[in-house]
Amino acid sequence: MSYRYVKTATKLGQTLYTKINDCGSNETDQTTDTSKPSENGLTHFNAMPVMIRGVLYQSHKEAAEALGVSPSAISQRLRVKGSADTVGLGVSAGMYGNTNRAIPISIFGCEFPSRTIAAEELGITRSQLTKWISKKASHAQREMLILSVMKYKQKHAKL
């Protein structure tokens, strides 16, 4: 199978090529023409120019040093958000607290600080608990949850 490449666009030192095979299907590859080579002579994506908050930096490394973050933070923000304008701003950039923090849960009157602790106390796995408390839980799953809570209450009533 043979391929031919067609240049489709250029943006901030990137040249976008479309790879077309004999069958007519397209694949898109990105190459960088204007990036600086690294110490060993190879071109790395961190050597590509990047614009952050209106300032054009010659590389991710240069931008990272100027903003006090790592080059991978810039790469990740570009990949996830499409823009690195919020990198290095901290909480004011929309990252409010720990989004993975424990959330208290109440199951049939029993209060637990998190689902993980609730599952441990009820003697089941966290994934079982999540399935059993969901709106789509079957009647049998609800009964198993009630049974687990009753055992928990009985165990703690003796203490």
Side-chain angles (χ1 to χ4, degrees):
M1 184 179 297
S2 65
Y3 297 98
R4 62 188 170 96
Y5 292 90
V6 178
K7 183 177 177 179
T8 54
T10 302
K11 180 180 175 183
L12 279 177
Q14 295 181 3
T15 304
L16 187 65
Y17 291 96
T18 301
K19 181 176 169 182
I20 303 172
N21 64 19
D22 293 336
C23 300
S25 66
N26 298 341
E27 299 174 22
T28 302
D29 293 331
Q30 277 189 347
T31 60
T32 304
D33 293 337
T34 60
S35 345
K36 298 184 287 185
S38 61
E39 295 82 27
N40 59 4
L42 300 175
T43 302
H44 191 267
F45 70 91
N46 282 346
M48 291 174 37
V50 62
M51 184 172 289
I52 302 174
R53 295 189 284 279
V55 178
L56 181 63
Y57 297 97
Q58 293 302 311
S59 67
H60 290 198
K61 184 177 178 183
E62 179 186 327
E65 289 172 358
L67 299 171
V69 296
S70 67
S72 63
I74 294 172
S75 301
Q76 180 183 15
R77 193 61 57 94
L78 286 169
R79 188 180 80 252
V80 173
K81 302 279 186 185
S83 168
D85 288 341
T86 58
V87 74
L89 295 178
V91 174
S92 64
M95 307 288 278
Y96 298 106
N98 181 1
T99 58
N100 293 323
R101 67 188 177 279
I103 299 171
I105 185 170
S106 177
I107 305 170
F108 298 114
C110 296
E111 300 289 329
F112 300 100
S114 70
R115 284 186 186 195
T116 303
I117 294 172
E120 288 172 2
E121 293 290 327
L122 296 175
I124 58 176
T125 65
R126 189 178 189 280
S127 61
Q128 279 178 318
L129 177 66
T130 301
K131 289 175 188 174
W132 291 358
I133 64 174
S134 77
K135 292 178 182 177
K136 295 181 179 180
S138 68
H139 183 69
Q141 289 173 328
R142 296 256 182 207
E143 287 181 350
M144 293 299 292
L145 179 61
I146 292 169
L147 181 62
S148 297
V149 171
M150 288 172 59
K151 286 180 182 177
Y152 170 78
K153 286 182 176 181
Q154 187 178 28
K155 182 174 127 182
H156 282 71
K158 291 180 182 177
L159 299 177

